[in-house]
């Protein structure tokens, strides 16, 4: 078990997965900074251990400000656009490249990136091809950045209750599956707490007999 100290910046904190990330950090009393585009989007996120950072656009300047005093980053950013290539590129690739640059300057210890299964074969899912390609380029930028990283590729996301079995495999997993957002969020947080997660790229899906996302040895694959 890693000995984590410091504050965690959560990008995409107001999203469906990001809110679960914040809840997990709060439950563990880990100091967090929730990056949101407006005060309204930060509703319900603040707590004695969680502060809000308003970033109207996640460009280099705003990221530099948000990273002050931060030890690690969890990115749960994801675009809702399926077709606007400009929005997809900005959300899925450009923001992560800007994050990498700012994180290196801030001497961040670890970046945990929530990506998606099938980034190795973006043509496999035609409606998501543009998104998966952008995600893959973001992954490649992080892997070659020199930063300590963990890249998590969840299967199809559901809003089911978490706490079910989570199967973890090296990326790419030659199959598909579903997983609850709550479990994805817990894996992202556990990546900070378990040293085996460092510099790993993994796929995760729900399987009932695998043990929960909080189990020790989650990343021993």
């Amino acid at each position: 078990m890693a000995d984590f100290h410091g504050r965690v910046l959560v990008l995409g904190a107001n999203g469906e997965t990001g809110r679960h990330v914040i809840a997990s950090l709060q439950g563990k009393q880990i100091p967090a900074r929730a990056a949101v585009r407006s005060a309204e989007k930060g509703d319900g996120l603040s707590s004695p251990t969680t502060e809000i950072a308003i970033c109207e656009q996640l460009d280099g300047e705003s990221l530099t400000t948000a990273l002050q005093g931060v030890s690690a980053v969890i990115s749960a950013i994801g675009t809702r656009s399926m077709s606007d290539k400009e929005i997809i590129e900005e959300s899925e690739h450009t923001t992560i490249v800007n994050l990498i640059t700012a994180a290196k300057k801030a001497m961040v210890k670890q970046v945990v990136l929530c990506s998606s299964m099938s980034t190795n074969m973006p043509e496999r899912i035609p409606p998501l091809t543009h998104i998966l390609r952008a995600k893959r380029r973001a992954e490649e930028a992080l892997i070659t950045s020199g930063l300590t990283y963990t890249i998590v590729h969840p299967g199809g996301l559901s809003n089911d209750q978490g706490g079910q079995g989570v199967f973890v495999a090296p990326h790419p997993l030659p199959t598909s599956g579903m997983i609850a957002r709550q479990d994805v969020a817990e894996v992202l947080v556990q990546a900070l707490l378990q040293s085996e997660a460092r510099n790993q790229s993994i796929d995760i899906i729900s399987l009932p007999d695998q043990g929960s996302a909080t189990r020790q040895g989650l990343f021993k694959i």
Side-chain angles (χ1 to χ4, degrees):
M1 187 72 71
D3 188 19
F4 180 80
H5 297 284
R7 186 173 297 277
V8 182
L9 176 66
V10 180
L11 304 183
N14 63 301
E16 292 180 283
T17 302
R19 285 183 176 271
H20 285 300
V21 171
I22 293 294
S24 176
L25 293 169
Q26 289 172 344
K28 297 172 178 59
Q29 296 294 301
I30 296 174
R33 180 175 295 152
V36 294
R37 292 178 181 265
S38 67
E40 181 182 6
K41 290 184 180 295
D43 286 350
L45 294 176
S46 64
S47 77
T49 58
T50 305
E51 61 188 32
I52 305 298
I54 306 300
C55 302
E56 292 186 2
Q57 289 186 335
L58 292 176
D59 56 18
E61 183 177 348
S62 62
L63 283 168
T64 297
T65 300
L67 283 164
Q68 292 179 2
V70 164
S71 297
V73 178
I74 294 177
S75 173
I77 289 174
T79 181
R80 293 184 179 276
S81 174
M82 301 282 284
S83 59
D84 190 319
K85 293 183 180 179
E86 185 175 346
I87 292 175
I88 290 169
E89 177 68 17
E90 177 184 298
S91 299
E92 304 289 359
H93 178 249
T94 304
T95 295
I96 302 304
V97 171
N98 291 340
L99 167 64
I100 290 166
T101 300
K104 291 174 75 171
K105 290 180 180 178
M107 301 184 70
V108 167
K109 295 178 180 178
Q110 186 177 0
V111 174
V112 180
L113 175 64
C114 185
S115 186
S116 176
M117 289 180 69
S118 298
T119 56
N120 62 307
M121 296 178 61
E123 293 78 14
R124 180 181 175 186
I125 311 175
L128 300 179
T129 295
H130 295 308
I131 294 173
L132 294 172
R133 284 176 177 166
K135 284 181 179 290
R136 179 57 186 168
R137 286 187 286 112
E139 293 172 21
E140 291 170 346
L142 180 56
I143 290 169
T144 60
S145 68
L147 290 165
T148 297
Y149 67 86
T150 306
I151 301 173
V152 177
H153 304 84
L157 299 172
S158 77
N159 291 318
D160 294 343
Q161 180 66 36
Q164 307 303 313
V166 176
F167 177 67
V168 181
H171 177 74
L173 179 66
T175 186
S176 59
M178 299 290 293
I179 188 166
R181 292 178 184 275
Q182 188 176 10
D183 285 332
V184 174
E186 188 59 44
V187 172
L188 298 174
V189 173
Q190 290 295 323
L192 302 178
L193 303 177
Q194 301 194 32
S195 58
E196 295 87 1
R198 295 169 184 164
N199 297 325
Q200 283 227 52
S201 182
I202 61 167
D203 285 14
I204 56 172
I205 58 174
S206 290
L207 279 180
D209 60 348
Q210 295 297 307
S212 75
T214 59
R215 69 183 185 267
Q216 292 192 30
L218 182 69
F219 300 93
K220 290 183 178 179
I221 54 176

